[in-house]
Amino acid sequence: MVKPAGSVFLKLVAFTLLLQWGGANKPNFVIILTDDQDITLGGMTPMQKAQSLIGDMGVTFNNAFVTTPVCCPSRTSIISGLYQHNHRTVNNTEEGNCFGERWREEVEPYAFPTVLNSDGYRTFYAGKYLNMYGYTSEGVTHVPPGWDWWIGLVGNSQYYNYSLSVNGTEVKHGDSEEDYLTDLITSYSLDFLRQSDILSSGFMMVLCPPSAHAPFTPSKKYTDYFRNVTAMKTQNFNLPVGVDKHWLLRMSPSVLPESTLEILDAHYRNRWETLLSVDDLIESVIMELESLGVLDNTYIIYTSDHGFHIGQFAMPWDKRQPYEFDIRIPLLLRGPGVPKGQIISDPVLNIDIAPTVIDIANLSSLVELDGKSFKESLAGQNTTGREFVIEYVGEGSDLTVDEDCPLVLDNKLMYCSVDGSCKCQDSRNNTYSCLRRISAAENILYCQFDDDEAFKEAYDINADPDQLNNLAYQLSADVVSEYESTLQYMSTCAGAACNSPPKQ
Ligand SMILES: *[C@@H]1O[C@H](CO)[C@@H](O)[C@H](O)[C@H]1NC(C)=O
Ligand SMILES: *[C@@H]1O[C@H](CO)[C@@H](O)[C@H](O)[C@H]1NC(C)=O
Ligand SMILES: *[C@@H]1O[C@H](CO)[C@@H](O)[C@H](O)[C@H]1NC(C)=O
Ligand SMILES: *[C@@H]1O[C@H](CO)[C@@H](O)[C@H](O)[C@H]1NC(C)=O
């Protein structure tokens, strides 16, 4: 081997040192994304460790929202930084672009993990990805670009009896105690962290436990832990709605019977019990980061893909509605320089996660993003407010809904179950776009439904946090016209323009 000449050799040494020094100073990222975890129904109450290890050691955003309240579209918004009208993933099926061909070609290669990975970050993914992951023709052999370690769950959230793609190879799990998915994610995470080489290159982990999604199965350790807990009785709990709500909510039964309320209570406490395992996951990962000496250089972000309702407006349990319980999410963040124990009211969105991570890592996105970095908010700087659009395309079955539910065959309803008193949770025309505006002067929601009635709903969230009084038909023509033109603009915006709507 020819020795490099002196000066070249010194340059090489200097370059290598610079690389290592640069690597050691790169911040690391750990992102924990839960499934269907609400904030307005007390979804964070069981998570005492997350609150003390992330919230108290960092900031809690109390105005965090998703722009589409259903799994695949929202997860796509998180990873891509784009609104639904730009990523065009409209539901949880392959035809709806949930991990469809277009998704794999137009969304996945430009998502934030590839930006960090090509900068040298070592990356790790474990848990639920997208509802259709593993079901397309490539099956589990598809390892998304941007990941060094890939532990992807096939399909939708499960706790037992599932398959994983471990770096592209299928691994099946049964239902013995050690198969509990959240705990398995913990153990893979620790394996990854114990790789000596990741510390010098900087690392990014995304952990996606199935909690608190159906089938709401707690681990053996936590079964019956919250035995006496019942569903939260918000003001709108099991409240029969009048003519002022869109038609899906007006379907019968107008109130849920006692037998269904018992099921709601069971789901509510089981959801909490599943979250205790996520709390343990957080504690284990943080303890490991600390023992490796990298905790102080690691940003930890905790959030959910959307909220949830359990009995609100006498709907059984689901998401897919534009109300606060479905669109608000928990968002906690700690990291270098982030103040401790502060509540931040700046509105932040699921589409902001990608630009924020890229911004903190001091990198550039490959495409223009609709969301914006909230790095400045971390320092406690207050922005002036925000407006954004909530977009949803209703899912519906062409024929009937559920063989056991006595409903007509042509109404394109979906998610109707006997347990839920055959009250359906979605329909093809439960399609809407809403303007959500939060400023010093206003805190409003204005929705247009794409149904036969062209129904409208509007709420003053400060005066009416439970959204009991629809004001849409009492607003002045000027106000309606301003909301509608802003909504129109926001529903087609792209990139930075989404964050600077024209002043009316
Ligand atoms: C996954 O692949 C990475 C990169 O090749 C490797 O370092 C790691 O050990 C693999 N993990 C598992 C669980 O096989
Ligand atoms: C897992 O699958 C087995 C075999 O189909 C079944 O007997 C068992 O009840 C399942 N366990 C859970 C927790 O669903
Ligand atoms: C739950 O309620 C029962 C009956 O009201 C009571 O005996 C029991 O101590 C309670 N359990 C817990 C864990 O609070
Ligand atoms: C999902 O969206 C696609 C594309 O619009 C549509 O063809 C499909 O019927 C939708 N699926 C459901 C269940 O509504």
Side-chain angles (χ1 to χ4, degrees), residues 170-381:
E170 181 167 25
V171 177
K172 290 191 158 128
H173 285 270
D175 65 352
S176 59
E177 217 168 323
E178 61 272 15
D179 292 313
Y180 193 69
L181 180 56
T182 307
D183 296 344
L184 195 72
I185 293 173
T186 307
S187 113
Y188 273 120
S189 301
L190 301 181
D191 288 349
F192 171 76
L193 283 171
R194 288 168 187 160
Q195 302 263 294
S196 54
D197 61 325
I198 63 161
L199 300 182
S200 55
S201 44
F203 60 87
M204 197 262 293
M205 308 173 77
V206 175
L207 314 178
C208 300
S211 318
H213 197 281
F216 318 118
T217 317
S219 75
K220 296 218 168 53
K221 182 176 168 191
Y222 291 123
T223 300
D224 290 337
Y225 191 94
F226 291 119
R227 178 177 302 131
N228 293 358
V229 168
T230 56
M232 186 185 255
K233 307 298 181 295
T234 54
Q235 275 208 54
N236 47 23
F237 183 83
N238 210 14
L239 186 76
V241 300
V243 292
D244 71 331
K245 292 282 186 296
H246 62 290
W247 77 276
L248 190 66
L249 273 68
R250 299 196 302 259
M251 285 188 71
S252 63
S254 64
V255 293
L256 301 170
E258 192 54 42
S259 57
T260 297
L261 298 184
E262 280 168 20
I263 293 171
L264 300 191
D265 286 341
H267 288 347
Y268 188 90
R269 60 179 162 258
N270 287 338
R271 282 165 53 84
W272 273 22
E273 289 165 3
T274 68
L275 288 165
L276 292 174
S277 298
V278 182
D279 226 21
D280 289 349
L281 158 75
I282 288 168
E283 181 183 45
S284 302
V285 166
I286 289 182
M287 279 170 59
E288 187 63 26
L289 292 169
E290 185 158 41
S291 76
L292 292 167
V294 293
L295 181 58
D296 290 344
N297 195 31
T298 302
Y299 287 88
I300 304 175
I301 302 175
Y302 180 88
T303 191
S304 167
D305 60 357
H306 46 73
F308 207 65
H309 57 259
I310 303 181
Q312 281 59 45
F313 298 126
M315 294 184 285
W317 63 92
D318 199 46
K319 46 268 182 174
R320 305 167 208 272
Q321 297 298 336
Y323 307 110
E324 296 289 281
F325 39 74
D326 285 356
I327 62 172
R328 275 188 186 265
I329 46 168
L331 180 58
L332 312 179
L333 187 152
R334 67 174 283 171
V338 176
K340 291 186 171 48
Q342 282 197 22
I343 309 281
I344 301 207
S345 334
D346 289 354
V348 291
L349 310 176
N350 55 348
I351 56 174
D352 298 340
I353 303 275
T356 303
V357 170
I358 290 172
D359 187 17
I360 293 174
N362 209 9
L363 300 170
S364 305
S365 171
L366 302 168
V367 288
E368 225 197 324
L369 305 182
D370 302 336
K372 65 175 183 187
S373 169
F374 53 76
K375 187 176 152 198
E376 302 246 300
S377 300
L378 296 177
Q381 277 164 279

Side-chain angles (χ1 to χ4, degrees), residues 27 54 67 229 242 269 433:
I54 310 177
T67 50
V229 168
R269 60 179 162 258
S433 47

